[in-house]
Structures are given as C-alpha cells and as structure tokens.
Amino acid sequence: MPQTKREIGMLLAGAGISPNRRLGQNFLIDGNLMRKLVASAQIGPADVALEVGPGTGSLTEMLLDVAAHVVAVEVDAGLFGVLQGRLAGRTNLTLIGTDALAAKSRLAPELADAVRA
C-alpha cells in the first residue's frame, strides 16, 4: 500500500533526515499513479525491474509484487537505511547504496552486475 505524505514525513523524521534538494528528491504518494506506472511498464513474473531512487520504497513494494526480482539503487545513505529497515526480508530485492552512474554514460559496476545476475 502506498505511503501517505504524513507516513513519509514520519519515516524521514524518525531517521533524522529530510529531502535533499540537491539530489532532486521527490516522493510519490499517489497510489493510482504508481499503479499506472507499474501497469504501463508491463513487468511480469519473469522480469527484473531496475528502480533508481526508490526513496522510502512505496513504488518498490509494488514492483516487488509483480517482478521476479527488483534491483533498487539509492544514493542517499539516510534513505538507504530507511529502505533496509522497511524492506528487510524481501528475498526478491537487491538494494544497492551508491550512485547509479559511475560516469556520465556508464552504470556503476555493482549496479550493472546486479542487473545481469
């Protein structure tokens, strides 16, 4: 179930963090929009989904329900910790705490490896 603005605020406050404008952080709270995004991606039970910037994990949870595996990469260490706590035990998730790009046009090696696996 998607998180509300209040729930996201409580998660962030509990972790002692706030949205980082430098990283352009925005958090999806519209469940209908998230369902449309997942449906339009046509992800099936044999697919691997890549999510860059999972934030607090609302969309991630929806992806986990439809994909064989989800690789989620979060550069913000505080949000990475929130995700680890919220999504612990999800066996079809690889969570990576790094920048998705190693260079302007090259994926981070650990991300490329996780998507290939």
Side-chain angles (χ1 to χ4, degrees):
M1 175 166 218
Q3 302 158 341
T4 64
K5 183 177 179 180
R6 180 184 165 123
E7 290 169 330
I8 292 171
M10 289 172 38
L11 276 171
L12 297 178
I17 57 177
S18 59
N20 186 329
R21 292 185 193 274
R22 183 182 62 81
L23 296 175
Q25 292 176 337
N26 293 279
F27 299 88
L28 290 172
I29 58 172
D30 185 331
N32 290 325
L33 176 60
M34 284 186 260
R35 283 185 283 281
K36 286 180 181 181
L37 285 169
V38 171
S40 69
Q42 299 179 3
I43 298 167
D47 293 324
V48 174
L50 170 62
E51 183 182 16
V52 177
T56 57
S58 283
L59 182 61
T60 312
E61 288 179 311
M62 288 185 177
L63 292 170
L64 287 166
D65 290 341
V66 298
H69 197 82
V70 175
V71 176
V73 59
E74 178 56 63
V75 68
D76 185 295
L79 286 175
F80 183 79
V82 168
L83 289 163
Q84 285 180 310
R86 285 197 67 240
L87 302 175
R90 296 299 296 256
T91 58
N92 62 329
L93 173 67
T94 299
L95 185 58
I96 301 171
T98 190
D99 192 326
L101 296 176
K104 193 172 190 174
S105 60
R106 191 167 33 99
L107 285 178
E110 57 269 83
L111 178 56
D113 291 343
V115 172
R116 277 189 226 114

